[in-house]
Amino acid sequence: MYKRILIANRGEIALRIIRACRELGVETVAIFSEADRGAPYLELADEAYCIGPARSSDSYLKIDRVISTAEVGNVQAIHPGYGFLAENAHFNEVCRSCKIDFIGPSPEAMKMLGDKNQARNLARQAEVPVVPGSDGLLDSEDSALTVAHEIGFPVLVKASAGGGGKGMRVALNDLALKQAVQQARIEAEAAFGDGSVYLEKYVQRPRHVEVQVVADHHGNVVHLWERDCSLQRRHQKLVEESPAPQLSDDTRQSMCAAAVRLIQAADYTNAGTVEFIVDTEGNFYFIEVNARIQVEHPVTEMVTGIDLIKTQIRVASGEPLAFAQEDIQLHGAAIECRINAEDPAKNFRPSPGRIEQLIVPGGLGVRFDSHAYAGYTVSPFYDSMIGKLIVHQPTREEAISCMLRALAELQIEGIRTTAPRHVEMLNHSAFAEGRIDTNFVERTWGG
Ligand code: MV4
């Protein structure tokens, strides 16, 4: 096991990683920007270093500063958390060249899966279902038309360098498709420096179901079942849950097995998420791999009883997985609500500022992962998530009641939060029945 690691992140996930390290007996080096100076979670680290001004591009994203802090702090590994440098293959390579373990997949696996077209090709090789579409990249507008006529409209043009909803365009007919290909190329070239695009049939009203996987450095790959993340708005997830409602045991088993095959084919190590969309008939299709720990990992921890952050650190240090597939059983149901400093009544406009009062819910099966406290000022410089409220109960019905009870207890004054919208979503009959898809939020409350 490592003696000491650096945490290249901030806020709730930095705190989450510090907690795991403390339990493992691993020392921690934290980094912070000038905006985060004095944050109480930094006191829980063994050391903390300021690495620059508030703007992420001047601090948390500065590879040279993160690495030199790791050198000064004499760490053996870096945990990148999510966001910031977590899926930056160049940073991952710099860590390797400095002989610091990156707690995540290899740069090679990260690069390959970061290219969505390559990931899709690998999925096909591993016999993982993909959405019908082009056989690789589009070489011309004419080939886009040929594929579209084969599979039928509507179709979706996707940027190979995109992901998470960036660089996608729907087309309903020939003319729109030609324009979509041109525009997607220009946008992708500008945003990612790579204008390559591919085509897929557009699956309408899909559910977003993702499979958590973990792989060690000894050839062991396991899945930790799935999460449904369909409740989202403009690609920002609002609610996540495990297990996915309305998923047959057959589909669950074959989706999880498919995720494991893909991870094996990619020679992937550490924790990762294989994202699928599920159509109204229950067919599932591979979309992309998220090569990091995700915000919503706690729902998986609750239903499996496995600490994913500790697992990441253990496998990165070379330990074999301490559990086999048959040891990983789903217990009950877990739901997470992302509490963001945003005003749902004003189109989710950010609502930074000082939290004057914070009352945290508790009780059996209630978890609040947050770095916030009464007196904390939410900075306008970073992601607006101030905490994650997670509940775990024997059944989904009980989890919904428990979450509504916990949301009623949660009091945050001084700023607006997404909590009132969560109450509306969890009270909705469509949510209770599990009749949800990725358009539900926009359809019900507007875009
Ligand atoms: C799709 C799709 C429908 N058909 N692909 C958006 C994020 C990126 N990870 C993939 N996404 C989608 N790909 C085909 N062929 C619909 C989406 C999509 C979506 C997927 C997951 C979660 C939320 C979403 C919201 C809108 C669209």
Side-chain angles (χ1 to χ4, degrees), residues 398-440:
E398 289 163 290
I400 294 172
S401 306
C402 181
M403 181 61 87
L404 284 166
R405 183 275 289 175
L407 284 165
E409 278 183 31
L410 176 68
Q411 285 189 44
I412 303 177
E413 280 163 30
I415 58 164
R416 299 285 170 169
T417 78
T418 46
R421 176 60 59 84
H422 282 114
V423 173
E424 291 182 54
M425 291 188 295
L426 273 96
N427 269 321
H428 202 288
S429 58
F431 185 77
E433 292 157 25
R435 285 187 294 107
I436 40 171
D437 59 66
T438 57
N439 306 125
F440 171 70

